[in-house]
Amino acid sequence: MTTQDGSTKAEVETSNNGKVEAPKGVGSVIGAVFLMATSSIGPGFLTQTSVFTVRLGAAFAFAILISILVDIAIQLNVWRVLGISGLRANELGNSVIPGLGWVMSLLVFAGGMIFNIGNIAGAGLGMNAMLGLDPKIGGGISAVIAVLIFLSKRAGVALDRIVVGLGAIMILLMLYVAIVSQPPVGDALKQTVLPEQVDFAVIVTLIGGSVGGYITFAGVHRIIDSGQTGVENIKNISNASVLGIVVIGIMRVLLFLAVLGVVATGVVLSKDNTAADAFYQAAGEFGLRAFGLVLWAAGLSSVIGASYTSLTFVTTQKTDVKLRNWLTVAFIVVCTILFLLLGTAPQKLLIFAGAFNGLILPIGFAVVMWAALFRKDLLKGYNYPVWMKVIGVIVLAGTFCMGFRSLSGLAALWA
């Protein structure tokens, strides 16, 4: 187990009864928040948000609001159950139904590996836009940076600081472009509650992109690894789960406003690279370079998040930290080799991984809600709030609808 200062569980001082003391401070909590948030904010996030802004205009603000509220409901329950139990999602799944956790692990690992190819490609394209490097070279350099993070002697603290730094870079650059593009903020605020049009398919896509697949569990697994679990840490766990969604929401809103400001002037953006064109139209050559930096940061942070979380699903808390870090390095290396061989992430593979992600959320969330409703023993006797149970069950029904959509996607893919 890695504490907030990067030390392992064995290095933490123990009390007279031999129990490991919980690490102090908020470093790993903030790291967990940004790990989840930056895992969500990948190349696909930038593309989806830009395309939907062009399609819906200011009315997209309503879809963002609803997706944020649903995301908070999901993460509040997921982080609370896993955080109190001290069990990773796959461990909780095995506790509910023996073997179910390993099914979840297979889905997460397969989806994480395929998406990581896309994340490395995104980082490579970001370096291309930022510095003019060949995308393959840029992707390779980005992968090396990710590897060095996990090879660091203080990998835990390096992980926390890097994802926070990358998140800050993306937010600041998005804020700058959002200001420069001069969006119609008043219209956006109005349509946040009174939209001219509502597209539920867009809302579902946003939810899947924010908390689908491994993203749901990235932050809380980091919390568990830091040792800040149990009933005594409920407040920190709950606050962190909401803050993570807020960070995602801020990024989504800033990108939405940046693109909306350009669209509102009547400019027709490129369909092939909508986000990059929006940045260029708003801030010229600097805007294009800024987009490259944002895309690179989004790709690199997603590589880190996908790799870390995928390996937490195929290892246990008893696995030696150094061994897990080496396995994570191997995971990144394999994904990088596949990226270099394939050039870009094949469309069918990404669709397949996306369908997998759509299946992970309802299965994982069902396990969480089962524990909340019927397994008080796993929650160490904690009295789960009734209002959270009610909201959780309602949202669970919605995630199963998303799961059926994913199954339809798989059927169409292999038809």
Side-chain angles (χ1 to χ4, degrees):
M1 172 188 306
T2 304
T3 63
Q4 71 172 47
D5 63 358
S7 59
T8 62
K9 179 177 178 180
E11 296 169 335
V12 180
E13 290 185 3
T14 57
S15 59
N16 292 332
N17 61 8
K19 292 183 179 180
V20 178
E21 295 178 352
K24 305 294 191 294
V26 296
S28 57
V29 174
I30 296 300
V33 166
F34 275 86
L35 181 65
M36 188 274 285
T38 55
S39 294
S40 169
I41 304 166
F45 175 98
L46 300 177
T47 300
Q48 286 179 352
T49 304
S50 302
V51 169
F52 291 152
T53 301
V54 172
R55 183 192 304 177
L56 299 177
F60 184 46
F62 176 77
I64 294 175
L65 174 62
I66 297 302
S67 68
I68 289 174
L69 294 177
V70 174
D71 290 346
I72 288 175
I74 291 172
Q75 290 294 65
L76 268 175
N77 280 287
V78 170
W79 284 48
R80 181 167 296 218
V81 169
L82 297 184
I84 292 174
S85 68
L87 299 174
R88 295 176 182 170
N90 51 318
E91 295 170 336
L92 184 70
N94 284 331
S95 297
V96 171
I97 301 176
L100 178 58
W102 294 116
V103 173
M104 295 168 61
S105 298
L106 177 62
L107 293 174
V108 170
F109 190 83
M113 175 168 283
I114 296 169
F115 267 119
N116 231 15
I117 300 172
N119 292 333
I120 295 170
L125 290 172
M127 294 196 80
N128 174 259
M130 181 171 51
L131 302 172
L133 287 178
D134 182 281
K136 285 191 175 183
I137 295 175
I141 292 173
S142 302
V144 169
I145 294 173
V147 164
L148 291 176
I149 292 170
F150 288 102
L151 288 181
S152 168
K153 290 183 179 180
R154 303 181 68 196
V157 70
L159 176 67
D160 294 335
R161 290 177 180 174
I162 288 293
V163 294
V164 171
L166 292 173
I169 288 171
M170 288 188 281
I171 289 174
L172 290 174
L173 286 173
M174 287 290 189
L175 176 61
Y176 170 77
V177 178
I179 293 173
V180 171
S181 72
Q182 298 181 328
V185 177
D187 189 27
L189 287 173
K190 176 185 175 182
Q191 297 206 46
T192 300
V193 292
L194 295 172
E196 293 179 354
Q197 59 178 315
V198 177
D199 190 329
F200 287 103
V202 167
I203 295 173
V204 169
T205 302
L206 293 186
I207 294 170
S210 300
V211 294
Y214 66 87
I215 300 168
T216 319
F217 311 106
V220 70
H221 278 199
R222 179 73 188 117
I223 288 281
I224 292 170
D225 282 348
S226 74
Q228 301 188 67
T229 59
V231 178
E232 66 274 16
N233 286 299
I234 286 179
K235 184 177 180 179
N236 282 342
I237 293 169
S238 297
N239 290 344
S241 66
V242 174
L243 184 57
I245 298 301
V246 170
V247 171
I248 294 173
I250 289 173
M251 273 293 296
R252 180 102 57 191
V253 168
L254 290 177
L255 178 56
F256 156 65
L257 291 175
V259 178
L260 182 64
V262 175
V263 172
T265 64
V267 172
V268 178
L269 296 176
S270 167
K271 292 183 179 180
D272 296 328
N273 206 339
T274 306
D277 195 20
F279 273 57
Y280 177 75
Q281 296 292 338
E285 188 67 22
F286 174 80
L288 184 61
R289 302 301 178 188
F291 171 76
L293 182 53
V294 169
L295 181 58
W296 174 77
L300 177 60
S301 59
S302 294
V303 169
I304 294 169
S307 304
Y308 168 81
T309 311
S310 296
L311 265 295
T312 62
F313 268 86
V314 294
T315 58
T316 70
Q317 294 186 58
K318 295 180 180 179
T319 303
D320 180 73
V321 175
K322 289 184 179 180
L323 174 59
R324 191 183 70 200
N325 286 343
W326 276 107
L327 290 173
T328 307
V329 167
F331 181 82
I332 296 172
V333 169
V334 170
C335 292
T336 304
I337 291 172
L338 290 174
F339 158 69
L340 294 174
L341 291 175
L342 298 172
T344 57
Q347 190 67 22
K348 279 199 171 186
L349 282 179
L350 288 176
I351 295 172
F352 186 69
F356 262 34
N357 268 358
L359 295 175
I360 294 165
L361 180 56
I363 294 173
F365 197 46
V367 169
V368 166
M369 291 312 304
W370 184 269
L373 294 169
F374 307 113
R375 294 297 302 273
K376 198 171 182 179
D377 58 314
L378 295 176
L379 301 183
K380 303 174 183 177
Y382 172 68
N383 290 317
Y384 210 80
V386 174
W387 67 271
M388 287 188 66
K389 292 180 181 178
V390 173
I391 292 176
V393 170
I394 293 173
V395 174
L396 178 62
T399 65
F400 272 101
C401 291
M402 293 173 60
F404 282 122
R405 284 172 57 90
S406 295
L407 284 174
S408 299
L410 275 177
L413 178 64
W414 299 113

